[in-house]
Amino acid sequence: AAAAAAAAAAAGGDAPMSSSAPAAAGGSAGGSSSAPALSEESQESLTVSTSFGTISEFYFMSLRALHAGAVPAFKRLGQLDQQASRLYAELRTLQKTGDNPAGVAELEEAMEKLTSQRLCFEAHLLDPDFSGQALRLYLLTMAWLLRLVAEGQSAAAGGLKCPDG
């Protein structure tokens, strides 16, 4: 029965809870469990969902997508800005000396490519709708976490504790 429940859980369905499930999940090495055995009727009607609700799944997928996509893209935009600053300083130095016209042309071409990349990143990342929605999601997450910390501090025991400092 435990193998069937594990197979159903791996397939993403609802796994029926059996009397051996508590022992397998966190019971002792001998296989005995301190939890009372469930009757045959309650075993059939009791099911445990193997997934979160749809809203929770979308919430955590949205956070993961922002963390995996937008955060590295903003880092890359910062790197492009730094690289553009260095190239611009180097280009101004070469233009002042006038010694290497081929080097100036090469740096101007590199600056043009870098500028087009930077403008593409800015057009997507600094879109008011995208940045507004991302900010709202992060503010919601921050408020939720602060509420968890506040509840943990007001509770006598357990809950999340705010780190000192």
Side-chain angles (χ1 to χ4, degrees):
D14 290 339
M17 184 101 162
S18 67
S19 60
S20 63
S28 63
S32 64
S33 174
S34 61
L38 298 174
S39 68
E40 193 70 276
E41 289 176 5
S42 64
Q43 286 182 8
E44 292 175 9
S45 65
L46 181 63
T47 58
V48 177
S49 175
T50 59
S51 66
F52 295 104
T54 303
I55 293 173
S56 298
E57 288 178 1
F58 286 146
Y59 172 76
F60 289 113
M61 284 191 305
S62 298
L63 280 177
R64 182 64 183 146
L66 279 174
H67 188 70
V71 172
F74 275 109
K75 287 181 183 177
R76 178 69 178 134
L77 180 60
Q79 291 171 349
L80 288 174
D81 284 339
Q82 289 175 353
Q83 191 176 0
S85 296
R86 283 191 302 260
L87 277 178
Y88 182 71
E90 191 175 330
L91 180 62
R92 286 189 55 177
T93 304
L94 276 178
Q95 286 174 339
K96 283 182 183 178
T97 60
D99 294 340
N100 190 357
V104 169
E106 187 178 314
L107 280 178
E108 285 176 345
E109 184 180 327
M111 275 296 289
E112 191 174 311
K113 283 183 179 179
L114 192 62
T115 302
S116 66
Q117 285 181 353
R118 189 175 52 87
L119 289 175
C120 287
F121 269 90
E122 286 178 359
H124 290 288
L125 293 175
L126 302 179
D127 175 49
D129 292 334
F130 172 75
S131 59
Q133 293 293 330
L135 182 62
R136 286 182 62 207
L137 181 65
Y138 279 126
L139 287 174
L140 170 73
T141 304
M142 180 185 63
W144 173 58
L145 290 174
L146 287 174
R147 190 183 76 219
L148 285 176
V149 169
E151 288 173 1
Q153 288 178 342
S154 66
L160 293 176
K161 302 294 182 201
C162 189
D164 295 334

